[in-house]
Amino acid sequence: MSVIIDRFDVFAGGFWLTLQICVLAAIGALVLGAVVAVLRISPVPPLRAVGTAYVTVFRNMPLTVVMFFAAFALPALGSNADFLRIPVLDSVFTRLGTDLPYFRFALIALVLYTAAFVCEALRSGVNAVPAGQAEAARSLGMTFTQNLWHVVLPQSWKASVVPLGSVIIAMIKNSALVGFFGVVGDLSQTADQLTSAEGLAFVPVAIGVSIGYLIMTVPLGALLDRIERRQAVAAR
Amino acid sequence: MRLQRFAAVATATALAFGLTACGSKDSDGGSDAGAGSKSFAAGSTMERLNKAQSIKVGTKVDQPGFGLKGLSGKPEGFDVEVAKIIVKELGIPTDKIEFVETPSKVREDAIVNGTVDFVVATYTINDERKKRVAFAGPYYEAGQNILVKADDAGITGPDSFKDGTKKVCSVTGSTPAENIKKSVKDVATQVVLFDTYDKCITALDGGQVNAVTTDNVILLGYIAKNQGKYKLAGDNFTKEPYGIGVKLEDKDFRTFINDTLEKSFQDGSWKKAWDDTAGKFGAELGAAPAIDRY
């Protein structure tokens, strides 16, 4: 167990990098997922088809395959994902400031994959809103956007919080894959680093890595439980 | 298979005549090639393995020339052949060997926990590892080198990375990855790590990295597979003595393996093992390394 204390800096560094990836990917996935959800419930059939196609593809493809595409197909197509080098993020997240295409590839893969699940979580929330609400809004002459923004989404939000949280927790765990696709020094990769380069015993290192992920996921789960309970009270 | 078994029987029988008074009783060609035909010190690992007539050997399954598991389902390569030399000497038929995949990160644990009896898996002897396991050998001395595209003249050695512009790929947690980190200006931007060398090669093809670095023998495997596409940039810049990992406290077993290796250097079986495996890639064998009986 002394491994965790002795090499605390390594674990902390890995934790920090994983946290950066997760925060950025969560923001990206929530935004993209919301857009796809709106497409899926829009009254325009072609848009609906686009949304459905997106979810069908990314929900049914293994994340490893998505990562492979991002890390190896994008460069082959001549893209270094430079569009993700957003100036402000550069200064906030130190790792992005440097030229690390694999960080961006990993981010793209995580966002694309998770957005499909975010979309479905949001849609489940929308479906939980009684159809009469939307119909009433429409009969009052509201447009689709007004309807969505003022009537449906505020109510659906409550029903989607818990499934959304599960999606984000799953995403944090999924981020462990990025270490195998060229991102140096994330939490999962530190395990490899410590065990194979330095010959440390696998079990304590694995425990240390697990603790790192638990620190990110357990509080999030607890928070969701609280929100859920508060909603249950509010709904009464 | 048949022939191999015959060879094992023949070797064991010959050795038994040479070394011990109690001659071979299994001239009927039975499968218990060495049981009882060899005697080892009571209570030693050698005796236990010889009695059990089975042995577990840790190898890699993804290193062409050393330990590669192909469609045959059994690993093949120099490491595998070296393991067979030792197992034969223990009086166990080589078809009784159970090869266990031991990737770099579990090698020490596999030895300490007794999952395997010994490990031959391109296993560099170093002080860090000597704290948890003991090494017999070395049976080969590799060296780290750099693989670049055949038309790349910009990289001539590890010093080519010092200006901070070129990127190099290696495998997570490997010794070569740690070594190359000392030669680059900025680790974060210049060193790309994957879990396999195949991905590094893909990244090299895609232009994401300028070079791949690891032990020369592994790189030679890739050069041999893709004629004219890649080349080595300069000479080996480290010495990687490959050893055989055994339990830390098992000095007798270590001495036994060392003796066996020294014998194989002399009787030609070591060279033959090389010529049949990694030697086919054009890798240099060189003189037999000096056994390090520390």
Side-chain angles (χ1 to χ4, degrees):
Chain A
M1 269 319 83
S2 62
V3 169
I4 301 171
I5 298 152
D6 292 347
R7 309 312 305 274
F8 183 75
D9 54 328
V10 180
F11 286 106
F15 180 82
W16 176 227
L17 184 60
T18 293
L19 191 66
Q20 290 183 17
I21 293 172
C22 289
V23 169
L24 290 174
I27 295 169
L30 288 174
V31 171
L32 183 61
V35 172
V36 179
V38 170
L39 288 180
R40 271 208 89 169
I41 57 174
S42 90
V44 189
L47 293 183
R48 227 162 36 224
V50 169
T52 311
Y54 180 92
V55 171
T56 310
V57 168
F58 285 101
R59 194 169 58 163
N60 294 301
M61 203 150 70
L63 179 58
T64 11
V65 177
V66 180
M67 289 241 175
F68 249 110
F69 272 111
F72 297 113
L74 280 181
L77 294 171
S79 168
N80 243 338
D82 283 326
F83 55 87
L84 274 184
R85 304 174 92 171
I86 304 158
V88 186
L89 287 181
D90 272 23
S91 50
V92 180
F93 297 98
T94 45
R95 275 292 179 142
L96 274 183
T98 53
D99 176 31
L100 283 178
Y102 287 103
F103 185 101
R104 302 195 291 267
F105 294 148
L107 213 51
I108 289 175
L110 268 181
V111 168
L112 288 178
Y113 180 81
T114 313
F117 294 91
V118 167
C119 164
E120 291 305 89
L122 289 174
R123 210 165 60 92
S124 74
V126 170
N127 287 340
V129 178
Q133 294 278 329
E135 279 162 13
R138 209 160 50 228
S139 70
L140 286 174
M142 284 187 175
T143 63
F144 173 71
T145 324
Q146 284 172 329
N147 193 341
L148 206 60
W149 199 248
H150 297 293
V151 179
V152 178
L153 280 186
Q155 299 183 70
S156 73
W157 168 244
K158 286 182 180 171
S160 4
V161 162
V162 173
L164 264 185
S166 301
V167 167
I168 299 303
I169 287 175
M171 190 210 70
I172 293 173
K173 294 188 288 180
N174 285 338
S175 78
L177 269 179
V178 303
F180 299 96
F181 288 90
V183 176
V184 177
D186 84 311
L187 192 52
S188 71
Q189 205 214 21
T190 51
D192 259 30
Q193 181 72 24
L194 291 173
T195 51
S196 50
E198 302 186 20
L200 299 176
F202 191 77
V203 173
V205 172
I207 291 172
V209 167
S210 310
I211 292 172
Y213 282 103
L214 290 176
I215 291 173
M216 279 181 261
T217 50
V218 170
L220 193 56
L223 181 75
L224 289 169
D225 281 353
R226 274 192 63 172
I227 294 175
E228 195 188 11
R229 225 173 300 138
R230 208 180 282 172
Q231 274 175 7
V233 173
R236 248 180 244 151
Chain B
M1 257 313 115
R2 191 81 215 150
L3 229 148
Q4 234 171 25
R5 186 177 295 175
F6 175 72
V9 173
T11 321
T13 314
L15 286 169
F17 273 120
L19 294 172
T20 59
C22 52
S24 164
K25 274 167 264 152
D26 41 280
S27 49
D28 57 333
S31 61
D32 54 335
S37 67
K38 275 174 173 280
S39 63
F40 297 103
S44 68
T45 308
M46 291 81 85
E47 190 206 40
R48 176 174 64 78
L49 292 170
N50 181 273
K51 282 238 173 79
Q53 284 294 297
S54 74
I55 188 162
K56 286 183 180 168
V57 177
T59 57
K60 288 198 176 164
V61 297
D62 57 353
Q63 303 240 282
F66 277 74
L68 181 70
K69 199 169 182 170
L71 295 176
S72 69
K74 282 196 162 184
E76 291 161 359
F78 187 52
D79 283 343
V80 173
E81 294 306 314
V82 168
K84 283 180 185 167
I85 290 173
I86 295 159
V87 170
K88 269 183 210 164
E89 193 71 21
L90 282 166
I92 303 170
T94 52
D95 58 358
K96 290 273 170 68
I97 306 175
E98 187 188 330
F99 286 104
V100 179
E101 181 186 1
T102 46
S104 299
K105 69 182 127 182
V106 306
R107 287 182 299 203
E108 287 84 11
D109 284 344
I111 294 167
V112 171
N113 301 338
T115 320
V116 295
D117 295 301
F118 64 85
V119 165
V120 199
T122 59
Y123 203 176
T124 301
I125 302 173
N126 67 31
D127 292 340
E128 207 55 61
R129 290 170 179 160
K130 275 183 188 170
K131 287 179 196 158
R132 294 193 66 209
V133 298
F135 287 101
Y139 60 93
Y140 182 73
E141 191 164 81
Q144 189 172 346
N145 210 315
I146 297 166
L147 178 95
V148 293
K149 284 187 179 162
D151 56 359
D152 188 341
I155 296 172
T156 51
D159 290 342
S160 303
F161 298 105
K162 289 221 162 98
D163 64 358
T165 57
K166 300 208 167 57
K167 287 185 216 164
V168 58
C169 185
S170 195
V171 162
T172 311
S174 63
T175 317
E178 294 306 303
N179 283 338
I180 202 69
K181 281 180 186 169
K182 293 170 203 149
S183 298
V184 298
K185 197 173 167 193
D186 179 17
V187 173
T189 55
Q190 282 183 274
V191 180
V192 174
L193 300 177
F194 290 110
D195 54 338
T196 63
Y197 290 111
D198 280 336
K199 283 183 190 158
C200 278
I201 297 289
T202 312
L204 178 67
D205 289 339
Q208 293 301 303
V209 296
N210 305 92
V212 179
T213 185
T214 181
D215 295 354
N216 60 333
V217 283
I218 298 169
L219 297 177
L220 283 166
Y222 284 108
I223 292 175
K225 261 201 289 188
N226 306 278
Q227 281 300 332
K229 203 169 165 192
Y230 313 114
K231 66 172 183 185
L232 291 184
D235 298 323
N236 296 351
F237 55 93
T238 63
K239 282 189 163 62
E240 307 291 339
Y242 287 171
I244 294 169
V246 296
K247 277 198 171 145
L248 192 58
E249 65 281 358
D250 202 344
K251 200 154 188 339
D252 289 343
F253 194 36
R254 183 147 54 104
T255 309
F256 168 81
I257 294 176
N258 279 334
D259 292 344
T260 309
L261 286 176
E262 257 169 6
K263 208 173 95 199
S264 76
F265 293 163
Q266 264 136 41
D267 67 12
S269 53
W270 176 70
K271 180 157 189 331
K272 185 179 178 308
W274 178 264
D275 291 341
D276 291 347
T277 56
K280 288 182 185 163
F281 298 155
E284 294 274 333
L285 178 59
I291 297 287
D292 175 21
R293 293 174 190 265
Y294 64 90

